[in-house]
Amino acid sequence: MSRLLLLSGGLDSTAIAAMTRPDQCLTIDYGQVAAQAEARAAKQVATLLGIHWSMITVPAREVGAGLMTGTATDPQGPPDAAPEWWPFRNQLLITLAAAWGVTRGITVVEVGTVASDGARHLDGTSLFLEAIDHVVASQEGHIRVRAPAAKLGAVELLTTSPVTEDVLAWTHSCHRANLPCGACPGCTKRRETLAAVGLLQ
Ligand SMILES: [Zn+2]
């Protein structure tokens, strides 16, 4: 079994990397505005954890929407979409990770979904995770898709994972910029999570 973790360089995927110790980590620049900061964070996190890190660039901003495209402050999609909603984002990223991994001996793709993600995005629900696992596993390579923290809240994940503060310090969570804006859902969740575990006042 060879496990590949999709590492965005945020709190959740970093905590998962320290917890599950995947064989490799992959960061994808898919055209999100914070791609540069995410890649910088992910590379540093993987290096500190001693996990092999790769990055691929597949520009897809033309099919994106919302905060992560850098062109809008409001959702451009369905009325129930969150500000950071990007159409079919997890499906896109999992597909790219599986496509990259299938020729490199990867048998499991791990994603950084946590329990609260399902309340903001349908591609963070258990229904989606089960479906995408079936879709990917039904094709050549029979790669499985796993979400090791799907039943954990973000706070629970941070307290469960052996990840240390010096590794967390390198993470990047902002959806809107390469320097944290302090106000987007990514920055807000980061502040609330770190405060809840006592790392921020
Ligand atoms: Zn932000």
Side-chain angles (χ1 to χ4, degrees), residues 107-179:
T107 55
V108 176
V109 169
E110 292 182 346
V111 296
T113 302
V114 296
S116 54
D117 289 346
R120 295 188 65 83
H121 312 283
L122 290 175
D123 63 2
T125 61
S126 58
L127 181 68
F128 167 80
L129 291 167
E130 285 167 22
I132 195 78
D133 176 39
H134 289 147
V135 167
V136 174
S138 68
Q139 297 170 74
E140 288 77 5
H142 310 290
I143 291 174
R144 304 304 301 262
V145 178
R146 296 287 182 249
K151 290 186 166 51
L152 300 176
V155 173
E156 210 178 350
L157 170 60
L158 270 197
T159 53
T160 303
S161 168
V163 69
T164 53
E165 194 175 334
D166 63 315
V167 175
L168 289 175
W170 288 97
T171 57
H172 180 84
S173 305
C174 184
H175 296 317
R176 198 152 64 183
N178 285 306
L179 289 173

Side-chain angles (χ1 to χ4, degrees), residues 48-134:
L48 288 170
L49 295 175
I51 301 170
H52 189 268
W53 177 80
S54 301
M55 180 180 167
I56 59 173
T57 301
V58 184
R61 193 179 296 187
E62 285 187 62
V63 297
L67 281 183
M68 286 193 260
T69 64
T71 57
T73 52
D74 297 316
Q76 297 155 322
D80 57 342
E84 73 279 15
W85 177 77
W86 178 301
F88 306 101
R89 176 174 171 272
N90 282 344
Q91 184 177 340
L92 173 71
L93 299 183
I94 290 167
T95 301
L96 292 174
W100 183 87
V102 74
T103 56
R104 292 169 174 81
I106 296 300
T107 55
V108 176
V109 169
E110 292 182 346
V111 296
T113 302
V114 296
S116 54
D117 289 346
R120 295 188 65 83
H121 312 283
L122 290 175
D123 63 2
T125 61
S126 58
L127 181 68
F128 167 80
L129 291 167
E130 285 167 22
I132 195 78
D133 176 39
H134 289 147

